[in-house]
Amino acid sequence: MSTTNNELVKLSASQMAEKIRNKEVSSRELTQAELDVIDAAEPQLHAFLHVSADEALAQADAFDKKLAAGETEGLPELAGVPIAIKDMIVTKGIPTTAASKILEGWVPPYDATVIEKIKAAGMPILGKTNLDEFAQGSSTEHSAFGNTYNPWDKQRVPGGSGGGSAAAVSSYEAPLALGTDTGGSIRQPASFTGSVGVKPTYGGVSRYGAIAMASSLDQIGPCARTVLDAALLHEVIGGNDRRDSTSIPEPMPHVVDAAREGLKRDLTGVRVGLIKEISGNGEGFQPGVAKRFDEAVKLLESMGATVTEVSLPHLSYSLGAYYIIMPSEVSSNLARYDGMRYGLRVMPPTGVPQTAANMMAYTREAGFGDEVKRRIILGTYALSAGYYDAWYGSAQKVRTLVIEDFAKAFEQVDVLASPTAPTTAFKFGEKTDDPLAMYLGDVTTIPANLAGVPAISVPCGVDDETNMPVGFQFFAPQKRDDVMYKPAAALEAALEETWGGNILTKMATPWLAD
């Protein structure tokens, strides 16, 4: 790859878009440059499950023809910029597997709403990224098709479940990606890889065509290298959709304007609340994470923000409530994978009655991985007769208390803040034998999903001991996603001045070597 292409792929998505508009580079040239990076990086990183090179170049050519003919008026700012898609989101004509053997080889006959919007925006789709099977995991170690590796250190996980999207963005294989966030699956991988990840307000982005894990928690959102890029992508995919009954029937908040306002680094009048229960100083938080978080808080204050500590008293129960509600919904949603209609079908061996029940049992045994089976069993138990009220019903009551805690907190402050994850990226195999330890890593991200509020993770430095990125998380009130973009962009800008550039410049990229 030439030096010119190396420089091109390291541009932010907004810078790429500007070059396309000014006709300094074509969408095809940019897409080909990204595909070249994918060719070089994938043997080392395995961020993608499927690369749709021919389709992406055809989409890029179609956009370039429109641009040449002057037919791009009204298209979003990111028009022509390529993107990667988490393989939990349905794409017409491109395999969609949810990283599970039970859907191996399935090619959907329709597009998710967000994919329709991406295509309408003229954004070429580079391919489908790896994840924990059915988005169930925090490390991308539970994919049926192999691990994704953290671009910072290939002995460490990229986070999960959307480790593939985060790794693709941070390694320059893609300037943008889509992910899904059920309990932190966009934000935690962003923290682990030094990228930006956003969970929009629940209902702010259509879930039509997102393979369901836990329907009351799932949310599609942007993965990017800058806050502005995330806002620009958020604006492309957001908005009401009549095909999604949970979609918010209101206009999108002005997230791009808020991000650009934040780049001015003036936070006068912005009230930031540090969540006492997950402030970074408690048990289980890595010292380096707490240190970088505290430094970032001081930067916010230096830009004029008012910082106070806020208590959300029921937050300590959110992890337990989540790990009852989520597997219960998993158990219900994954019941459709029975070998009858689509996906894998395994018939019972000779000598075993050839019944529908036995076929379903053998199909699910072969098609689902250990983590998926674990959560189905947990959820089925929680929903079973005699336990429904004691477990699932009680968890929903706790969820209501968490929602009320957030509502009360936002009467005092504009945004809430915490570390995105208690630790930096851990090594492969460190937590696979201890699922509870893995689940505890979600303690800082889960509350946003339970409450349906938006949250964003931005890099706030590198841990001195592990030399791995640390994430800083902002929460905003429901339907006020714009409120979190301003301080997030301001913090990013202030930190980049300190670092002398984007945090990813600190990462070695041998796959970009000339």
Side-chain angles (χ1 to χ4, degrees):
M1 180 182 291
S2 70
T3 303
T4 302
N5 278 355
N6 281 351
E7 293 171 349
L8 184 61
V9 298
K10 287 187 175 181
L11 295 174
S12 68
S14 60
Q15 290 170 331
M16 291 178 180
E18 184 177 8
K19 284 189 173 293
I20 290 172
R21 287 194 303 276
N22 293 337
K23 299 185 178 178
E24 296 174 38
V25 66
S26 68
S27 178
R28 183 185 179 91
E29 289 169 334
L30 183 55
T31 301
Q32 186 60 63
E34 296 292 359
L35 290 169
D36 289 345
V37 178
I38 291 170
D39 283 344
E42 275 305 277
Q44 303 173 59
L45 301 180
H46 190 226
F48 283 83
L49 291 178
H50 178 83
V51 178
S52 50
D54 292 342
E55 295 94 331
L57 291 171
Q59 289 163 348
D61 287 341
F63 171 79
D64 287 335
K65 286 180 182 177
K66 281 187 175 183
L67 184 62
E71 298 173 357
T72 57
E73 187 177 348
L75 288 182
E77 194 170 322
L78 290 176
V81 178
I83 186 171
I85 308 295
K86 184 179 181 180
D87 202 29
M88 196 74 172
I89 301 170
V90 168
T91 44
K92 183 178 181 179
I94 302 175
T96 301
T97 68
S100 177
K101 288 188 181 297
I102 209 160
L103 280 177
E104 186 172 8
W106 182 57
V107 179
Y110 71 102
D111 278 323
T113 296
V114 292
I115 300 301
E116 290 177 348
K117 291 185 175 186
I118 290 294
K119 288 181 176 179
M123 301 175 68
I125 295 173
L126 296 167
K128 306 299 289 293
T129 57
N130 198 14
L131 63 146
D132 288 297
E133 183 182 4
F134 282 102
Q136 295 175 38
S138 303
S139 62
T140 315
E141 291 175 283
H142 297 291
S143 169
F145 307 116
N147 298 338
T148 293
Y149 299 90
N150 194 313
W152 287 76
D153 179 351
K154 292 191 287 293
Q155 293 184 352
R156 296 180 184 270
V157 304
S161 64
S165 287
V169 167
S170 60
S171 65
Y172 304 105
E173 291 181 288
L176 299 161
L178 288 185
T180 62
D181 193 310
T182 305
S185 293
I186 292 174
R187 290 162 289 148
Q188 185 247 32
S191 178
F192 280 11
T193 61
S195 54
V196 176
V198 177
K199 185 205 90 69
T201 293
Y202 182 78
V205 175
S206 173
R207 292 185 300 111
Y208 177 79
I211 295 173
M213 175 188 165
S215 304
S216 74
L217 301 162
D218 299 340
Q219 187 57 69
I220 295 173
C223 310
R225 288 196 288 269
T226 73
V227 173
L228 177 58
D229 287 353
L232 288 166
L233 181 54
H234 192 162
E235 202 164 77
V236 171
I237 63 174
N240 181 242
D241 178 17
R242 61 180 178 79
R243 293 174 294 187
D244 177 1
S245 62
T246 61
S247 180
I248 297 170
E250 296 175 22
M252 268 277 295
H254 298 294
V255 293
V256 174
D257 291 346
R260 288 200 161 112
E261 184 66 25
L263 292 175
K264 298 175 184 177
R265 293 168 53 182
D266 181 3
L267 296 181
T268 304
V270 176
R271 301 170 299 166
V272 179
L274 306 185
I275 302 176
K276 178 182 178 182
E277 289 74 14
I278 48 173
S279 65
N281 298 311
E283 184 181 348
F285 283 83
Q286 212 165 281
V289 169
K291 182 179 180 183
R292 295 286 95 90
F293 178 74
D294 291 343
E295 291 168 353
V297 169
K298 288 184 174 65
L299 265 181
L300 293 173
E301 290 180 307
S302 73
M303 291 184 281
T306 303
V307 177
T308 56
E309 188 175 70
V310 178
S311 177
L312 280 69
H314 299 99
L315 219 61
S316 58
Y317 304 111
S318 60
L319 192 71
Y322 174 84
Y323 276 102
I324 293 172
I325 295 168
M326 176 271 294
S328 296
E329 296 187 12
V330 164
S331 172
S332 176
N333 279 322
L334 269 59
R336 72 193 67 181
Y337 302 102
D338 54 11
M340 291 288 190
R341 289 156 289 189
Y342 55 88
L344 180 70
R345 175 180 294 175
V346 178
M347 297 304 296
T350 303
V352 176
Q354 302 293 298
T355 64
N358 282 339
M359 184 272 290
M360 289 182 203
Y362 278 91
T363 296
R364 291 162 72 83
E365 170 61 29
F368 288 143
D370 289 344
E371 183 62 24
V372 171
K373 291 173 185 173
R374 182 181 295 119
R375 297 191 190 200
I376 290 173
I377 291 168
L378 285 169
T380 304
Y381 177 82
L383 293 175
S384 61
Y387 295 98
Y388 181 93
D389 289 333
W391 293 100
Y392 185 74
S394 296
Q396 290 288 16
K397 290 175 183 176
V398 170
R399 182 181 198 170
T400 299
L401 294 173
V402 171
I403 292 170
E404 291 172 352
D405 280 353
F406 271 101
K408 290 174 183 174
F410 287 127
E411 291 174 1
Q412 306 170 53
V413 296
D414 301 307
V415 291
L416 293 165
S418 78
T420 307
T423 69
T424 54
F426 46 88
K427 292 185 177 180
F428 283 100
E430 233 176 72
K431 300 186 180 183
T432 48
D433 293 332
D434 187 356
L436 184 58
M438 187 86 78
Y439 298 165
L440 288 170
D442 298 334
V443 66
T444 49
T445 51
I446 278 171
N449 300 83
L450 283 178
V453 301
I456 183 171
S457 175
V458 295
C460 66
V462 174
D463 181 281
D464 295 328
E465 186 175 337
T466 63
N467 199 36
M468 296 298 290
V470 176
F472 189 105
Q473 181 175 216
F474 289 100
F475 304 82
Q478 284 186 353
K479 300 189 286 189
R480 292 303 313 276
D481 304 51
D482 54 318
V483 173
M484 67 187 181
Y485 273 100
K486 181 178 177 179
L491 178 60
E492 176 187 68
L495 285 166
E496 287 191 355
E497 183 180 63
T498 302
W499 300 330
N502 189 283
I503 191 174
L504 293 171
T505 60
K506 300 175 183 292
M507 178 182 73
T509 52
W511 49 88
L512 290 181
D514 296 328

